[in-house]
Coordinates of all heavy atoms in Angstrom, one line a residue:
M1 N 0.9 -1.2 0.0 CA 0.0 0.0 0.0 C 0.9 1.2 0.0 O 1.8 1.4 0.8 CB -0.9 0.0 1.2 CG -1.9 1.1 1.3 SD -3.1 0.8 2.5 CE -3.3 2.4 3.2
I2 N 0.6 2.2 -0.9 CA 1.4 3.4 -1.0 C 0.7 4.5 -0.2 O -0.5 4.7 -0.4 CB 1.5 3.8 -2.5 CG1 2.2 2.7 -3.2 CG2 2.3 5.1 -2.6 CD1 2.3 3.0 -4.7
D3 N 1.4 5.2 0.7 CA 0.9 6.3 1.4 C 0.9 7.5 0.4 O 1.9 8.0 0.0 CB 1.7 6.6 2.6 CG 1.4 5.7 3.8 OD1 0.3 5.1 3.7 OD2 2.3 5.6 4.6
E4 N -0.3 8.0 0.2 CA -0.4 9.2 -0.6 C -0.2 10.4 0.2 O -0.7 10.5 1.3 CB -1.8 9.3 -1.3 CG -1.9 8.5 -2.5 CD -3.2 8.8 -3.2 OE1 -3.6 10.0 -3.4 OE2 -3.9 7.9 -3.6
K5 N 0.6 11.4 -0.3 CA 0.8 12.6 0.4 C -0.5 13.4 0.5 O -1.1 13.6 -0.6 CB 1.9 13.4 -0.2 CG 2.3 14.6 0.5 CD 3.6 15.2 -0.1 CE 4.0 16.5 0.6 NZ 5.2 17.1 0.1
K6 N -0.9 13.9 1.6 CA -2.1 14.7 1.7 C -1.9 16.1 1.2 O -0.8 16.6 1.2 CB -2.5 14.8 3.2 CG -2.7 13.5 3.9 CD -4.0 12.8 3.4 CE -4.2 11.6 4.2 NZ -5.5 11.0 4.0
W7 N -2.9 16.7 0.6 CA -2.8 18.0 0.0 C -2.3 19.1 1.0 O -1.6 20.1 0.6 CB -4.1 18.5 -0.6 CG -5.2 18.7 0.4 CD1 -6.1 17.9 0.8 CD2 -5.4 19.9 1.2 NE1 -6.9 18.4 1.8 CE2 -6.5 19.7 2.1 CE3 -4.8 21.2 1.3 CZ2 -7.0 20.6 3.0 CZ3 -5.3 22.1 2.2 CH2 -6.3 21.8 3.0
W8 N -2.5 18.9 2.3 CA -2.2 20.0 3.3 C -0.8 19.8 3.9 O -0.4 20.7 4.6 CB -3.3 20.0 4.4 CG -3.6 18.6 4.9 CD1 -4.7 17.8 4.5 CD2 -3.0 17.8 5.9 NE1 -4.7 16.6 5.1 CE2 -3.7 16.6 6.1 CE3 -1.9 18.0 6.7 CZ2 -3.3 15.6 7.0 CZ3 -1.5 17.1 7.6 CH2 -2.2 15.9 7.7
T9 N -0.1 18.8 3.7 CA 1.1 18.6 4.4 C 2.2 19.6 4.2 O 3.0 19.9 5.1 CB 1.7 17.1 4.2 OG1 1.9 17.0 2.7 CG2 0.8 16.1 4.7
D10 N 2.3 20.2 3.0 CA 3.3 21.2 2.8 C 3.0 22.5 3.4 O 3.9 23.1 4.1 CB 3.6 21.4 1.3 CG 4.3 20.2 0.7 OD1 5.1 19.5 1.4 OD2 4.1 19.9 -0.5
S11 N 1.8 23.0 3.2 CA 1.5 24.3 3.8 C 0.9 24.3 5.2 O 1.0 25.2 5.9 CB 0.4 24.9 2.8 OG 0.9 25.1 1.5
F12 N 0.3 23.2 5.6 CA -0.3 23.0 6.9 C 0.0 21.7 7.5 O -0.8 20.8 7.5 CB -1.9 23.2 6.7 CG -2.3 24.4 6.0 CD1 -2.6 24.4 4.7 CD2 -2.4 25.6 6.7 CE1 -3.0 25.6 4.0 CE2 -2.9 26.7 6.1 CZ -3.1 26.7 4.7
P13 N 1.2 21.6 8.0 CA 1.7 20.3 8.4 C 1.1 19.7 9.7 O 1.2 18.5 10.0 CB 3.2 20.5 8.6 CG 3.4 21.9 8.8 CD 2.3 22.6 8.0
S14 N 0.4 20.6 10.4 CA -0.2 20.1 11.7 C -1.5 19.3 11.6 O -1.8 18.6 12.6 CB -0.3 21.3 12.7 OG 0.9 21.7 13.1
Q15 N -2.2 19.4 10.6 CA -3.5 18.7 10.3 C -4.6 19.4 11.1 O -5.7 19.6 10.6 CB -3.4 17.3 10.6 CG -4.8 16.6 10.3 CD -4.7 15.1 10.6 OE1 -3.7 14.5 10.7 NE2 -5.9 14.5 10.7
Y16 N -4.4 19.8 12.4 CA -5.5 20.4 13.2 C -5.1 21.8 13.4 O -4.0 22.2 13.7 CB -5.5 19.7 14.5 CG -5.7 18.2 14.4 CD1 -4.7 17.3 14.5 CD2 -7.0 17.7 14.3 CE1 -4.9 15.9 14.4 CE2 -7.3 16.3 14.1 CZ -6.2 15.5 14.2 OH -6.4 14.2 14.1
Y17 N -6.2 22.7 13.2 CA -6.0 24.1 13.3 C -7.2 24.9 13.9 O -8.3 24.4 13.7 CB -5.7 24.7 11.9 CG -4.4 24.4 11.3 CD1 -4.1 23.3 10.6 CD2 -3.3 25.2 11.6 CE1 -2.9 22.9 10.1 CE2 -2.0 24.9 11.1 CZ -1.8 23.8 10.4 OH -0.6 23.4 10.0
A18 N -6.9 26.0 14.5 CA -7.9 27.0 14.8 C -7.6 28.0 13.7 O -6.5 28.3 13.3 CB -7.6 27.6 16.2
F19 N -8.7 28.6 13.3 CA -8.6 29.7 12.2 C -9.5 30.8 12.5 O -10.5 30.7 13.2 CB -9.0 29.1 10.8 CG -10.3 28.6 10.7 CD1 -11.4 29.4 10.3 CD2 -10.6 27.3 11.1 CE1 -12.7 28.9 10.2 CE2 -11.9 26.7 11.0 CZ -13.0 27.6 10.6
A20 N -9.1 32.0 12.1 CA -9.8 33.2 12.4 C -11.1 33.3 11.5 O -10.9 33.1 10.2 CB -9.0 34.4 12.1
T21 N -12.2 33.6 12.0 CA -13.4 33.7 11.3 C -13.6 35.2 11.0 O -12.8 36.0 11.5 CB -14.6 33.1 11.9 OG1 -14.9 33.9 13.1 CG2 -14.4 31.7 12.3
D22 N -14.6 35.6 10.3 CA -14.9 37.0 10.1 C -15.7 37.6 11.2 O -16.1 38.8 11.2 CB -15.6 37.2 8.7 CG -17.0 36.5 8.6 OD1 -17.3 35.8 9.6 OD2 -17.7 36.7 7.7
K23 N -16.0 36.9 12.2 CA -16.7 37.4 13.4 C -15.7 37.8 14.5 O -14.6 37.2 14.5 CB -17.7 36.3 14.0 CG -18.7 35.9 12.9 CD -19.8 35.2 13.6 CE -20.9 34.8 12.6 NZ -21.0 35.3 11.3
T24 N -16.1 38.7 15.4 CA -15.2 39.1 16.5 C -15.9 39.0 17.8 O -17.2 39.0 17.9 CB -14.7 40.6 16.3 OG1 -15.8 41.4 16.3 CG2 -13.9 40.7 15.0
L25 N -15.1 38.9 18.9 CA -15.6 38.9 20.2 C -14.6 39.7 21.0 O -13.4 39.3 21.1 CB -15.7 37.4 20.7 CG -16.3 37.1 22.1 CD1 -17.7 37.7 22.2 CD2 -16.3 35.7 22.4
G26 N -15.0 40.8 21.6 CA -14.1 41.6 22.4 C -13.0 42.2 21.5 O -11.9 42.5 22.1
G27 N -13.2 42.4 20.2 CA -12.3 42.9 19.3 C -11.3 41.9 18.7 O -10.4 42.3 17.9
Y28 N -11.4 40.7 19.1 CA -10.5 39.6 18.6 C -11.3 38.7 17.6 O -12.5 38.5 17.9 CB -10.0 38.8 19.7 CG -9.1 39.6 20.6 CD1 -9.6 40.0 21.8 CD2 -7.8 39.9 20.3 CE1 -8.8 40.8 22.7 CE2 -7.0 40.6 21.2 CZ -7.6 41.1 22.4 OH -6.8 41.8 23.2
P29 N -10.7 38.1 16.6 CA -11.4 37.2 15.8 C -11.9 35.9 16.5 O -11.1 35.4 17.2 CB -10.4 36.8 14.7 CG -9.1 37.4 15.0 CD -9.3 38.3 16.3
V30 N -13.1 35.6 16.3 CA -13.6 34.3 16.8 C -12.9 33.2 16.0 O -12.7 33.2 14.8 CB -15.1 34.2 16.7 CG1 -15.7 32.8 17.0 CG2 -15.8 35.3 17.5
A31 N -12.5 32.1 16.8 CA -11.8 31.0 16.1 C -12.8 29.9 15.8 O -13.7 29.5 16.5 CB -10.7 30.5 17.1
G32 N -12.5 29.3 14.6 CA -13.2 28.1 14.2 C -12.1 27.0 14.3 O -10.9 27.2 14.5
L33 N -12.6 25.7 14.3 CA -11.6 24.6 14.5 C -11.8 23.7 13.2 O -12.9 23.5 12.8 CB -11.9 23.8 15.7 CG -11.8 24.6 17.0 CD1 -12.3 23.7 18.2 CD2 -10.3 25.0 17.3
T34 N -10.7 23.1 12.8 CA -10.8 22.2 11.7 C -9.7 21.2 11.7 O -8.6 21.3 12.3 CB -10.6 23.0 10.3 OG1 -10.9 22.1 9.3 CG2 -9.2 23.6 10.1
N35 N -10.1 20.0 11.2 CA -9.2 18.9 10.9 C -9.1 18.8 9.4 O -10.0 18.5 8.7 CB -9.8 17.6 11.4 CG -9.0 16.4 11.0 OD1 -8.1 16.4 10.3 ND2 -9.5 15.2 11.5
L36 N -7.9 19.2 8.9 CA -7.8 19.4 7.4 C -7.9 18.0 6.7 O -8.2 18.0 5.5 CB -6.5 20.0 7.1 CG -6.3 21.4 7.6 CD1 -4.9 22.0 7.2 CD2 -7.4 22.3 7.0
D37 N -7.8 17.0 7.4 CA -7.8 15.6 6.8 C -9.2 15.3 6.3 O -9.4 14.4 5.4 CB -7.4 14.5 7.7 CG -6.8 13.3 7.0 OD1 -6.2 13.5 5.9 OD2 -7.0 12.2 7.5
I38 N -10.3 16.0 6.7 CA -11.6 15.7 6.2 C -11.9 16.3 4.8 O -12.9 15.9 4.2 CB -12.7 16.2 7.2 CG1 -12.7 17.8 7.3 CG2 -12.5 15.6 8.6 CD1 -13.9 18.4 8.0
Y39 N -11.0 17.2 4.3 CA -11.1 17.8 3.0 C -10.3 17.0 2.0 O -9.1 16.8 2.2 CB -10.7 19.2 3.0 CG -11.5 20.1 4.0 CD1 -11.0 20.4 5.3 CD2 -12.8 20.5 3.7 CE1 -11.8 21.1 6.1 CE2 -13.5 21.3 4.5 CZ -13.0 21.6 5.8 OH -13.7 22.4 6.7
S40 N -10.9 16.7 0.9 CA -10.2 16.0 -0.2 C -9.2 17.0 -1.0 O -8.3 16.6 -1.6 CB -11.1 15.4 -1.2 OG -12.0 16.3 -1.8
K41 N -9.5 18.3 -0.9 CA -8.7 19.3 -1.4 C -8.8 20.6 -0.6 O -9.7 20.7 0.3 CB -9.1 19.6 -2.9 CG -10.5 20.1 -3.1 CD -10.8 20.4 -4.5 CE -12.2 21.0 -4.6 NZ -12.5 21.4 -5.9
Q42 N -7.9 21.6 -0.8 CA -8.0 22.8 0.0 C -9.3 23.5 -0.2 O -9.7 23.9 -1.3 CB -6.8 23.7 -0.4 CG -6.7 24.9 0.5 CD -5.4 25.6 0.3 OE1 -4.4 25.1 -0.2 NE2 -5.3 26.9 0.7
P43 N -10.0 23.8 1.0 CA -11.3 24.5 0.8 C -11.1 25.9 0.4 O -10.0 26.5 0.7 CB -11.9 24.3 2.3 CG -10.7 24.0 3.1 CD -9.7 23.4 2.3
A44 N -12.0 26.5 -0.2 CA -11.9 27.9 -0.7 C -11.7 28.9 0.4 O -11.1 29.9 0.2 CB -13.2 28.2 -1.5
W45 N -12.2 28.6 1.6 CA -12.1 29.6 2.7 C -10.7 29.6 3.4 O -10.3 30.5 4.1 CB -13.1 29.3 3.8 CG -13.0 27.9 4.5 CD1 -13.7 26.8 4.1 CD2 -12.1 27.5 5.5 NE1 -13.4 25.8 4.8 CE2 -12.4 26.1 5.7 CE3 -11.1 28.2 6.2 CZ2 -11.7 25.4 6.7 CZ3 -10.5 27.4 7.2 CH2 -10.7 26.0 7.4
L46 N -9.9 28.6 3.0 CA -8.5 28.5 3.6 C -7.6 29.0 2.5 O -7.2 28.3 1.6 CB -8.2 27.0 4.0 CG -6.9 26.8 4.7 CD1 -6.7 27.6 5.9 CD2 -6.7 25.3 4.9
T47 N -7.1 30.2 2.8 CA -6.2 30.8 1.8 C -4.9 31.1 2.5 O -4.7 31.0 3.7 CB -6.8 32.1 1.2 OG1 -6.8 33.1 2.3 CG2 -8.1 31.9 0.6
S48 N -3.9 31.6 1.8 CA -2.6 31.9 2.4 C -2.7 33.1 3.4 O -1.9 33.3 4.2 CB -1.6 32.2 1.3 OG -2.0 33.3 0.5
S49 N -3.8 33.9 3.2 CA -4.0 35.0 4.1 C -4.8 34.7 5.4 O -5.0 35.5 6.3 CB -4.6 36.2 3.4 OG -5.9 35.9 2.9
T50 N -5.3 33.4 5.4 CA -6.1 33.0 6.6 C -5.2 32.9 7.8 O -4.2 32.2 7.7 CB -6.8 31.7 6.3 OG1 -7.6 31.8 5.2 CG2 -7.7 31.3 7.5
T51 N -5.6 33.5 8.9 CA -4.9 33.4 10.2 C -5.2 32.0 10.8 O -6.3 31.7 11.0 CB -5.2 34.5 11.2 OG1 -5.0 35.7 10.5 CG2 -4.5 34.4 12.5
V52 N -4.1 31.2 11.0 CA -4.3 29.9 11.6 C -3.4 29.7 12.8 O -2.3 30.3 12.8 CB -4.1 28.7 10.5 CG1 -5.1 28.8 9.5 CG2 -2.8 28.8 9.9
V53 N -3.8 28.9 13.7 CA -2.9 28.5 14.8 C -2.9 26.9 14.8 O -3.9 26.3 14.9 CB -3.6 29.0 16.1 CG1 -2.7 28.5 17.3 CG2 -3.6 30.5 16.1
A54 N -1.7 26.4 14.7 CA -1.6 24.9 14.7 C -1.9 24.3 16.0 O -1.5 24.9 17.1 CB -0.1 24.6 14.3
L55 N -2.6 23.2 16.0 CA -2.9 22.5 17.2 C -2.4 21.1 17.1 O -2.4 20.5 16.1 CB -4.4 22.5 17.4 CG -5.2 23.8 17.4 CD1 -6.7 23.6 17.4 CD2 -4.8 24.6 18.6
T56 N -2.2 20.4 18.3 CA -1.8 19.0 18.3 C -3.2 18.3 18.3 O -4.2 18.9 18.6 CB -1.0 18.6 19.6 OG1 -1.9 18.9 20.7 CG2 0.3 19.4 19.7
Q57 N -3.2 17.0 18.0 CA -4.4 16.2 18.1 C -5.0 16.3 19.5 O -6.2 16.4 19.6 CB -4.2 14.8 17.7 CG -5.4 14.0 17.6 CD -5.2 12.6 17.2 OE1 -4.2 12.0 17.5 NE2 -6.2 12.0 16.5
A58 N -4.2 16.2 20.5 CA -4.7 16.3 21.9 C -5.4 17.6 22.2 O -6.4 17.6 22.8 CB -3.5 16.0 22.9
Q59 N -4.7 18.7 21.7 CA -5.4 20.0 21.9 C -6.7 20.1 21.2 O -7.7 20.5 21.7 CB -4.5 21.1 21.4 CG -3.2 21.3 22.2 CD -2.3 22.3 21.6 OE1 -2.0 22.2 20.4 NE2 -1.7 23.3 22.3
Y60 N -6.7 19.7 19.9 CA -7.9 19.7 19.1 C -9.0 18.9 19.8 O -10.2 19.4 19.8 CB -7.6 19.2 17.7 CG -8.7 19.1 16.8 CD1 -9.2 20.2 16.1 CD2 -9.4 17.9 16.6 CE1 -10.3 20.2 15.2 CE2 -10.5 17.8 15.7 CZ -10.9 18.9 15.0 OH -12.0 18.9 14.1
L61 N -8.8 17.8 20.3 CA -9.8 16.9 20.9 C -10.3 17.4 22.2 O -11.4 17.0 22.6 CB -9.3 15.4 21.0 CG -9.1 14.8 19.6 CD1 -8.4 13.4 19.8 CD2 -10.3 14.7 18.8
S62 N -9.4 18.2 22.9 CA -9.8 18.5 24.3 C -10.4 20.0 24.4 O -10.8 20.4 25.5 CB -8.6 18.4 25.2 OG -7.6 19.4 24.9
I63 N -10.4 20.7 23.3 CA -10.8 22.1 23.3 C -12.4 22.2 23.5 O -13.2 21.5 22.9 CB -10.5 22.8 22.0 CG1 -9.0 23.0 22.0 CG2 -11.2 24.1 21.9 CD1 -8.5 23.6 20.7
N64 N -12.8 23.0 24.4 CA -14.2 23.4 24.6 C -14.4 24.5 23.6 O -13.9 25.6 23.9 CB -14.5 23.8 26.0 CG -15.9 24.2 26.3 OD1 -16.7 24.1 25.3 ND2 -16.2 24.5 27.5
P65 N -15.2 24.4 22.5 CA -15.2 25.4 21.5 C -16.2 26.5 21.8 O -17.0 26.9 21.0 CB -15.7 24.6 20.3 CG -16.5 23.5 20.9 CD -15.9 23.1 22.2
V66 N -16.1 27.0 23.0 CA -17.0 28.1 23.4 C -16.2 29.4 23.7 O -15.2 29.3 24.4 CB -17.8 27.8 24.7 CG1 -18.7 28.9 25.1 CG2 -18.7 26.6 24.5
N67 N -16.6 30.5 23.0 CA -15.9 31.7 23.1 C -14.3 31.7 22.9 O -13.6 32.3 23.5 CB -16.1 32.3 24.6 CG -17.5 32.7 24.9 OD1 -18.3 32.9 24.0 ND2 -17.9 32.6 26.1
L68 N -14.0 30.9 21.8 CA -12.7 30.8 21.4 C -12.3 32.0 20.5 O -13.1 32.4 19.6 CB -12.4 29.5 20.6 CG -12.4 28.2 21.4 CD1 -12.2 27.1 20.4 CD2 -11.3 28.2 22.4
I69 N -11.2 32.6 20.8 CA -10.7 33.8 20.0 C -9.2 33.5 19.6 O -8.5 32.6 20.3 CB -10.8 35.1 20.7 CG1 -10.0 35.0 22.1 CG2 -12.2 35.5 21.0 CD1 -9.9 36.4 22.8
I70 N -8.7 34.2 18.7 CA -7.3 34.2 18.3 C -6.8 35.5 18.8 O -7.2 36.6 18.4 CB -7.1 34.0 16.9 CG1 -7.5 32.6 16.5 CG2 -5.6 34.2 16.6 CD1 -7.3 32.1 15.1
K71 N -5.9 35.5 19.8 CA -5.3 36.6 20.5 C -3.8 36.5 20.5 O -3.3 35.5 21.0 CB -5.9 36.7 21.9 CG -5.3 38.0 22.6 CD -6.0 38.0 24.1 CE -5.4 39.2 24.8 NZ -5.9 39.2 26.2
D72 N -3.1 37.5 19.9 CA -1.7 37.5 19.9 C -1.1 36.2 19.3 O -0.1 35.7 19.7 CB -1.1 37.7 21.3 CG -1.6 39.1 21.9 OD1 -1.7 40.0 21.1 OD2 -1.7 39.1 23.1
G73 N -1.7 35.7 18.2 CA -1.3 34.5 17.5 C -1.5 33.2 18.2 O -1.0 32.2 17.8
T74 N -2.3 33.3 19.3 CA -2.6 32.0 20.0 C -4.0 31.8 20.2 O -4.8 32.8 20.1 CB -1.9 31.9 21.4 OG1 -2.4 33.0 22.2 CG2 -0.4 32.1 21.2
L75 N -4.5 30.6 20.5 CA -5.9 30.3 20.7 C -6.1 30.6 22.2 O -5.3 30.2 23.1 CB -6.2 28.9 20.4 CG -7.6 28.4 20.5 CD1 -8.4 29.2 19.4 CD2 -7.7 26.9 20.2
A76 N -7.2 31.3 22.5 CA -7.5 31.7 23.9 C -9.1 31.6 24.0 O -9.8 31.7 23.1 CB -7.0 33.0 24.2
N77 N -9.5 31.5 25.3 CA -10.9 31.7 25.6 C -11.1 33.1 25.9 O -10.5 33.7 26.8 CB -11.3 30.7 26.8 CG -11.4 29.3 26.4 OD1 -10.5 28.5 26.6 ND2 -12.5 29.0 25.7
Y78 N -12.1 33.7 25.3 CA -12.5 35.1 25.6 C -13.1 35.2 27.0 O -14.0 34.4 27.4 CB -13.5 35.6 24.6 CG -13.9 37.0 24.9 CD1 -13.1 38.1 24.7 CD2 -15.2 37.3 25.4 CE1 -13.5 39.4 25.0 CE2 -15.6 38.5 25.7 CZ -14.8 39.6 25.5 OH -15.2 40.9 25.8
V79 N -12.6 36.1 27.8 CA -13.2 36.4 29.1 C -13.6 37.8 29.1 O -12.8 38.7 28.8 CB -12.2 36.1 30.2 CG1 -12.8 36.5 31.6 CG2 -11.7 34.7 30.2
A80 N -14.9 38.1 29.3 CA -15.4 39.4 29.3 C -14.8 40.2 30.4 O -14.5 39.7 31.5 CB -16.9 39.4 29.4
P81 N -14.5 41.5 30.2 CA -13.9 42.3 31.2 C -14.9 42.4 32.5 O -16.1 42.4 32.3 CB -13.8 43.7 30.6 CG -14.0 43.5 29.1 CD -14.8 42.3 28.9
A82 N -14.3 42.4 33.6 CA -15.1 42.6 34.8 C -15.7 43.9 34.9 O -15.1 44.9 34.5 CB -14.1 42.4 36.0
T83 N -16.9 43.9 35.3 CA -17.7 45.2 35.5 C -18.0 45.5 36.9 O -17.9 44.6 37.8 CB -19.0 45.2 34.7 OG1 -19.9 44.2 35.3 CG2 -18.8 44.9 33.2
T84 N -18.2 46.7 37.3 CA -18.6 47.0 38.6 C -20.1 47.2 38.8 O -20.5 47.7 39.8 CB -17.8 48.3 39.0 OG1 -18.2 49.4 38.1 CG2 -16.3 48.1 39.0
D85 N -20.8 46.9 37.8 CA -22.3 47.0 37.8 C -22.9 46.1 38.9 O -22.6 44.9 38.9 CB -22.9 46.7 36.4 CG -24.4 46.9 36.4 OD1 -24.9 47.5 37.3 OD2 -25.0 46.4 35.4
T86 N -23.6 46.6 39.8 CA -24.2 45.8 40.9 C -25.6 45.3 40.5 O -26.2 44.6 41.4 CB -24.3 46.7 42.2 OG1 -25.1 47.8 41.9 CG2 -23.0 47.2 42.6
G87 N -26.1 45.7 39.4 CA -27.4 45.2 38.9 C -28.5 46.1 39.3 O -29.7 45.9 39.0
T88 N -28.2 47.2 40.1 CA -29.2 48.2 40.4 C -29.0 49.4 39.6 O -27.8 49.7 39.2 CB -29.1 48.6 41.9 OG1 -27.8 49.1 42.2 CG2 -29.4 47.4 42.8
S89 N -30.0 50.1 39.3 CA -29.9 51.3 38.5 C -30.4 52.5 39.2 O -31.5 52.4 39.9 CB -30.7 51.1 37.2 OG -30.8 52.3 36.5
S90 N -29.7 53.6 39.2 CA -30.1 54.8 39.9 C -31.4 55.4 39.3 O -32.2 55.9 40.0 CB -29.0 55.8 39.9 OG -28.7 56.2 38.6
T91 N -31.6 55.2 38.0 CA -32.8 55.7 37.4 C -34.0 54.8 37.8 O -35.1 55.4 38.0 CB -32.7 55.7 35.9 OG1 -32.4 54.4 35.4 CG2 -31.7 56.7 35.4
A92 N -33.8 53.5 38.0 CA -34.9 52.7 38.5 C -35.2 53.0 39.9 O -36.4 53.1 40.3 CB -34.6 51.2 38.4
S93 N -34.2 53.3 40.7 CA -34.5 53.7 42.1 C -35.2 55.0 42.2 O -36.1 55.2 43.0 CB -33.1 53.8 42.9 OG -32.5 52.5 42.9
A94 N -34.8 56.0 41.4 CA -35.5 57.3 41.4 C -36.9 57.2 41.0 O -37.8 57.8 41.5 CB -34.7 58.2 40.5
A95 N -37.2 56.3 40.0 CA -38.5 56.2 39.5 C -39.4 55.5 40.6 O -40.6 55.9 40.8 CB -38.6 55.3 38.2
T96 N -38.8 54.6 41.3 CA -39.5 53.9 42.3 C -39.8 54.8 43.5 O -40.9 54.9 44.0 CB -38.7 52.6 42.9 OG1 -38.5 51.8 41.7 CG2 -39.5 51.9 43.9
S97 N -38.8 55.6 43.8 CA -39.0 56.6 44.9 C -40.1 57.6 44.6 O -40.9 58.0 45.4 CB -37.7 57.3 45.2 OG -36.7 56.4 45.6
S98 N -40.1 58.2 43.4 CA -41.0 59.2 43.0 C -42.4 58.6 43.0 O -43.4 59.3 43.3 CB -40.7 59.9 41.8 OG -40.7 59.0 40.6
S99 N -42.6 57.4 42.5 CA -43.9 56.8 42.4 C -44.5 56.5 43.8 O -45.7 56.5 44.1 CB -43.9 55.6 41.5 OG -43.2 54.6 42.1
A100 N -43.6 56.2 44.7 CA -44.0 55.9 46.1 C -44.5 57.1 46.8 O -45.3 57.0 47.7 CB -42.8 55.3 46.9
T101 N -44.0 58.3 46.5 CA -44.4 59.5 47.2 C -45.6 60.1 46.6 O -46.3 61.0 47.1 CB -43.3 60.5 47.2 OG1 -42.9 60.8 45.9 CG2 -42.1 60.0 48.0
A102 N -46.0 59.8 45.4 CA -47.2 60.3 44.7 C -48.4 59.7 45.3 O -48.5 58.5 45.5 CB -47.1 60.1 43.2
T103 N -49.5 60.5 45.5 CA -50.7 60.0 46.0 C -51.9 60.5 45.2 O -51.9 61.4 44.5 CB -51.0 60.4 47.5 OG1 -50.9 61.9 47.5 CG2 -50.1 59.8 48.4

């Protein structure tokens, strides 16, 4: 049996990748995940200008694909900035106070 060279081995030797999509989260590109071995030829969306991050098989299989972004050339989980909002609103409190005093 002859091992055929896969189309992706020269340009994308890792087989597993995170890639930048056209969506953003927190100003960073949302990452998609791919196993290039599922494609019989290079897909149209994967060009030389596509931002990709190589992954090992273990990384690819263990990633929780929620809120993934590409930040500084690496794959990361987006964490929203902490806020100091306590859940109360001064306008809601004022409206409540004024309606309570009206008779």
Side-chain angles (χ1 to χ4, degrees):
M1 183 167 143
I2 300 173
D3 282 337
E4 280 190 44
K5 187 174 181 179
K6 303 288 185 171
W7 66 265
W8 45 265
T9 55
D10 288 333
S11 299
F12 304 98
S14 291
Q15 181 179 343
Y16 302 97
Y17 286 90
F19 60 92
T21 67
D22 59 354
K23 300 195 180 346
T24 60
L25 186 59
Y28 298 99
V30 172
L33 300 172
T34 190
N35 171 356
L36 296 180
D37 206 35
I38 66 170
Y39 300 98
S40 59
K41 63 181 183 175
Q42 186 167 340
W45 59 265
L46 183 59
T47 66
S48 59
S49 63
T50 304
T51 300
V52 294
V53 176
L55 304 170
T56 65
Q57 183 181 33
Q59 290 171 314
Y60 177 79
L61 294 174
S62 66
I63 289 174
N64 179 0
V66 177
N67 295 334
L68 288 177
I69 58 170
I70 295 181
K71 180 180 178 182
D72 301 326
T74 61
L75 187 62
N77 284 98
Y78 175 75
V79 178
T83 64
T84 57
D85 184 15
T86 60
T88 60
S89 169
S90 59
T91 56
S93 298
T96 304
S97 298
S98 63
S99 65
T101 58
T103 54

